[in-house]
Amino acid sequence: MLKSIIPAIALLATGATAASAHITLENQQAPVQSTYKAVFRVGHGCEGKPTTKVRVRIPEGVIAVKPQPKAGWTVEKVRGEYAKTYDYYGTPTREGVKEIVWSGGSLPDDEYDEFVLRAYLTGDLKPDTTLYFPVVQECPDGAAERWIEIPAEGKGADDYEQPAPGLKLIQKK
Ligand SMILES: [Cu+2]
């Protein structure tokens, strides 16, 4: 994502790869205590190679995760225990999907696609913070792009070469 407002100096500091399209979320803001549709946008492969697997890690506090089936791809839901029990519309929820893996397809480097899931953003998440979904993009011959860098306090995605897709949390309306 090349933003015109980024000063040239910042581009120099972060390197040329930061200016190319990363894996990002289509909608980058959502209220807590609501259902969120996460659309992960994949703009390129691994340095020319096609994308054959997309792994999304679900951050703590995000529950009731359901991936959208995708033609030509197999979807795997890796379940596990949460760090605590969350309230899901009155139902105590202790475990669920913690990772989603799309595989079996092949997205050429010069084509674009989207991978979608729906989830509930619990009231335990804090408004005015950014929630990150680490994503690993795999390609043939062991090639991979790891979008797993979590920006430190006071920094943003533009400060990193491979930032995890971020979602700004806001107060429930
Ligand atoms: Cu990129």
Side-chain angles (χ1 to χ4, degrees):
M1 296 290 111
L2 177 56
K3 296 198 189 101
S4 55
I5 54 165
I6 302 171
I9 190 81
L11 285 177
L12 282 174
T14 53
T17 55
S20 60
H22 296 338
I23 292 186
T24 52
L25 284 163
E26 181 177 63
N27 185 353
Q28 300 182 9
Q29 185 171 296
V32 297
Q33 284 181 274
S34 76
T35 297
Y36 172 66
K37 180 185 171 191
V39 178
F40 294 90
R41 305 180 293 188
V42 178
H44 61 73
C46 315
E47 292 176 1
K49 291 179 178 163
T51 303
T52 51
K53 192 182 273 190
V54 175
R55 294 195 282 131
V56 176
R57 203 168 81 222
I58 307 302
E60 192 64 37
V62 177
I63 66 171
V65 176
K66 286 191 176 185
Q68 181 173 291
K70 189 166 175 59
W73 296 76
T74 300
V75 62
E76 182 190 348
K77 290 144 281 184
V78 183
R79 302 181 70 92
E81 289 246 315
Y82 298 139
K84 57 164 284 190
T85 300
Y86 295 99
D87 175 60
Y88 184 53
Y89 295 109
T91 303
T93 305
R94 178 73 212 188
E95 66 93 44
V97 177
K98 298 184 80 173
E99 187 178 338
I100 292 179
V101 186
W102 281 275
S103 63
S106 183
L107 172 64
D109 181 59
D110 60 357
E111 292 182 16
Y112 165 86
D113 208 350
E114 299 172 340
F115 296 78
V116 180
L117 63 86
R118 211 174 76 140
Y120 182 71
L121 306 171
T122 62
D124 296 69
L125 295 166
K126 288 191 174 56
D128 303 316
T129 63
T130 302
L131 185 67
Y132 292 95
F133 292 78
V135 178
V136 173
Q137 175 180 15
E138 295 184 22
C139 300
D141 309 318
E145 297 280 354
R146 302 171 62 80
W147 308 100
I148 60 171
E149 291 180 304
I150 311 292
E153 187 83 36
K155 297 216 175 200
D158 293 335
D159 296 314
Y160 295 84
E161 280 201 22
Q162 297 208 294
L167 172 66
K168 170 98 191 288
L169 298 172
I170 58 175
Q171 199 75 242
K172 187 189 179 183
K173 291 180 192 90

